[in-house]
Amino acid sequence: MTLAELEPVNVDEQYRLLIGGDWVAAESGTYEIVNPNTTQVIGHAPEASITQVNDAAAAAKAALPGWRDTPMAERCAMIGRAADLLEQKLGGLVGLVQGETGATINVSESIQITSCADRFRHYETPVNVDEPIEPYPVAENPLGPGGLSCAHVIRQPVGVVACITSYNFPLVNMSGKIAPALAMGNTLVIKPAPQDPLAVIKMGEIIEEAGFPPGVINIITGSGAVAGAALVESRDVDMISFTGSSAVGAKIMQAGGSTMKRLLMELGGKGACVLTDDCNVDGAVGAIASVWGFHSGQICTAPTRVIVHRSRYDELVDKLTAVAGMLKLGDPLDRETIVGPVITELHRDRVEHFIASGVADGATLLCGGRRPDLPGYFVEPTLLADCTSDMRVVQREIFGPVVVVLAHDDDDHAVELANDSDYGLFSYVFAGTTARAFEIGKRIESGNVGLNSMAPHIHAPFGGFKMSGVGRDRGVYGLHAYSEVQALSWMSS
Ligand code: NAD
């Protein structure tokens, strides 16, 4: 697609909520969505009332029996149709998702858009999720004649799932929840992030064309925490599938406890990136530079916390500093641009505050850290060296284009530093051999560890240790996440 072919964004478009199969105006009006590059209003999002949030949950509950009893093959066929439609039509949303997220045009076209259809495609084929259990001979006893004790373990949908997502990849994050949850027979209320919900609403229109019955998918949006909090409180909602910060995740766990919500929590990260003395530094530099170039570091799996062997320290920071200087920052619509803005003024200020705290705590600012003279919410690619584990910039998730570097003395020390974190989502090891990386990777407290590579396996379980989350999704693990296990047992004589 050329830039000239981008669908223009209609600022006056009326976006609506989807409740029980009807597209309806929000009862509490609308709020402005701001383009992080231009700081101009790009559209107005619906502000759902609490009544509408509850109506959406009730509609999902009403649609549950019909959808749950629809054979999995039919449900998956509909998901396949949705994948076809997304492949055909989602390209029309590049301009909108680019405008509301501020992602560069290259990131917008690729990750923001094309991986959505893939997330549906992964669940277009029915999978047997039932689990066999060995029969167990029972001798005659005072309670019965004995026989062969048999059981069949099946997976049932959890029920109504509220999908609440973060702002960084609005379409992809939501697609990754919708497809497995629907395949398992759940019905949904989806609530995208306040900052950039417009493309998700438009994606809902596309998905609906696949023929999902009314009420199976409902869409709610709102400017603050109110709509999400109401879903967490709702007795009609059985499960919260959440992607967002660990702080909000903890609030949801507390609030959801009183109604015993099932939870899938995909939370924050502070990815350790261990470099051994024999590693290929150039390979690691490419991965680490993605913190700057890939959506300005607004990605939970980024290798932001670099732990390099002292013997390779200077080589690494020299190469990283050189790369940072080559990354073009500015207009995300320029195809040469690598570093676009972060999502809001508030978030830009937060990232800047972290950088200042790193310097105050004794880190060396090797590059970046200044505010570019541009209207949007930009942060320069920033490299903080001479860091120690007690610094806030090392312990806290910054979610911006900021890399911190620590030195280690040997593999044990590297593992100790990597594990000195509340987070454990995605970490990386770069070592001279994959075998050595594998041995170190096993010792890192992290749900995923990339070995000499950043590429995750698309069917591997994804999720976090510690404050990075609860549960796993992707592949068959996604089906498991959205199911309850039921055992049916009988005695065979
Ligand atoms: P956030 O936690 O501020 O918001 C996430 C969602 O929670 C939004 O939809 C928001 O409206 C909603 N929310 C806020 N308060 C709520 C409440 N009390 N009850 C219910 N819902 C509430 O996160 P963000 O700033 O949008 O996203 C950045 C965070 O997301 C980072 O921490 C990042 O690491 C994380 N993230 C994690 C993954 C993952 O897969 N682990 C993926 C992407 C982003």
Side-chain angles (χ1 to χ4, degrees):
M1 181 184 288
T2 64
L3 288 176
E5 289 166 355
L6 275 187
E7 292 271 331
V9 176
N10 175 7
V11 180
D12 299 320
E13 173 147 3
Q14 310 266 311
Y15 296 89
R16 291 175 183 271
L17 308 171
L18 178 60
I19 302 176
D22 297 321
W23 289 96
V24 296
E27 287 175 349
S28 303
T30 59
Y31 66 96
E32 291 179 346
I33 301 298
V34 173
N35 180 322
N37 176 44
T38 63
T39 73
Q40 303 297 306
V41 173
I42 188 175
H44 296 84
E47 186 81 74
S49 66
I50 296 283
T51 305
Q52 288 179 309
V53 175
N54 291 332
D55 287 349
K61 188 172 183 179
L64 182 63
W67 183 245
R68 182 180 53 202
D69 294 343
T70 302
M72 190 181 203
E74 277 180 44
R75 296 197 302 254
C76 290
M78 233 176 270
I79 289 167
R81 277 205 294 283
D84 295 342
L85 288 160
L86 290 171
E87 273 167 9
Q88 290 158 24
K89 299 190 172 189
L90 213 51
L93 298 185
V94 174
L96 182 59
V97 79
Q98 189 287 316
E100 58 180 347
T101 62
T104 62
I105 189 65
N106 298 326
V107 167
S108 301
E109 284 173 346
S110 56
I111 305 297
Q112 294 282 17
I113 291 285
T114 45
S115 41
C116 296
D118 296 343
R119 302 268 167 136
F120 278 76
R121 195 64 80 204
H122 294 160
Y123 294 99
E124 69 179 351
T125 309
V127 175
N128 180 15
V129 286
D130 296 353
E131 288 159 31
I133 262 205
E134 285 286 310
Y136 173 77
V138 177
E140 186 179 348
N141 63 64
L143 295 177
L148 197 59
S149 180
C150 304
H152 189 58
V153 177
I154 60 177
R155 286 189 178 268
Q156 300 278 13
V158 180
V160 173
V161 181
C163 303
I164 302 174
T165 49
S166 59
Y167 73 81
N168 55 340
F169 292 96
L171 297 171
V172 187
N173 290 342
M174 199 56 95
S175 300
K177 296 185 183 301
I178 295 174
L182 289 182
M184 246 344 282
N186 302 279
T187 55
L188 311 179
V189 180
I190 69 172
K191 197 213 75 70
Q195 299 91 335
D196 49 16
L198 302 180
V200 173
I201 295 174
K202 302 300 286 178
M203 180 173 77
E205 293 175 8
I206 297 173
I207 295 170
E208 241 213 333
E209 285 178 44
F212 295 100
V216 168
I217 305 169
N218 303 274
I219 306 177
I220 286 295
T221 58
S223 59
V226 175
L231 287 168
V232 177
E233 295 287 332
S234 169
R235 290 202 165 267
D236 285 341
V237 173
D238 300 290
M239 172 174 172
I240 304 293
S241 174
F242 177 71
T243 298
S245 62
S246 302
V248 173
K251 278 189 202 166
I252 290 176
M253 280 193 100
Q254 277 190 331
S258 61
T259 47
M260 209 54 77
K261 290 282 185 290
R262 274 52 182 161
L263 297 171
L264 176 62
M265 309 297 274
E266 310 195 309
L267 308 178
K270 186 76 183 178
C273 185
V274 170
L275 279 70
T276 59
D277 51 1
D278 61 350
C279 75
N280 170 2
V281 166
D282 291 336
V285 165
I288 297 162
S290 73
V291 176
W292 299 320
F294 192 56
H295 204 16
S296 300
Q298 298 169 108
I299 179 159
C300 53
T301 55
T304 55
R305 194 164 50 102
V306 176
I307 300 166
V308 58
H309 191 268
R310 221 171 278 285
S311 66
R312 310 299 294 278
Y313 191 95
D314 291 342
E315 180 188 356
L316 177 77
V317 294
D318 286 351
K319 285 181 171 169
L320 283 174
T321 309
V323 169
M326 289 189 278
L327 303 178
K328 183 169 178 198
L329 175 148
D331 180 4
L333 285 172
D334 179 346
R335 288 213 178 270
E336 303 295 309
T337 297
I338 304 291
V339 187
V342 297
I343 189 74
T344 56
E345 183 176 14
L346 187 69
H347 189 51
R348 189 263 321 271
D349 293 352
R350 185 176 169 277
V351 175
E352 287 180 346
H353 181 76
F354 268 119
I355 297 169
S357 89
V359 173
D361 288 346
T364 305
L365 181 66
L366 287 183
C367 62
R370 290 165 309 182
R371 183 181 294 190
D373 187 18
L374 292 165
Y377 312 127
F378 290 86
V379 179
E380 287 181 339
T382 299
L383 183 61
L384 288 167
D386 304 321
C387 293
T388 50
S389 225
D390 54 337
M391 293 177 181
R392 282 164 288 179
V393 281
V394 175
Q395 287 301 330
R396 301 273 302 277
E397 182 186 45
I398 299 175
F399 220 55
V402 182
V403 172
V404 302
V405 187
L406 298 84
H408 72 80
D409 299 313
D410 55 32
D411 292 359
D412 288 347
H413 187 210
V415 169
E416 185 187 321
L417 289 172
N419 291 340
D420 185 10
S421 172
D422 286 341
Y423 295 104
L425 185 61
F426 217 123
S427 293
Y428 304 84
V429 181
F430 287 85
T433 63
T434 309
R436 183 172 178 193
F438 188 88
E439 289 307 316
I440 297 170
K442 281 195 295 187
R443 299 171 62 197
I444 296 182
E445 296 161 354
S446 180
N448 299 76
V449 184
L451 309 177
N452 286 336
S453 159
M454 286 205 74
H457 189 297
I458 52 164
H459 298 305
F462 177 81
F465 285 16
K466 303 195 269 189
M467 291 298 283
S468 288
V470 176
R472 297 291 181 271
D473 70 0
R474 306 245 174 112
V476 74
Y477 303 91
L479 298 174
H480 292 177
Y482 293 98
S483 65
E484 287 275 24
V485 175
Q486 183 182 42
L488 301 167
S489 46
W490 67 97
M491 188 70 82
S492 177
S493 54

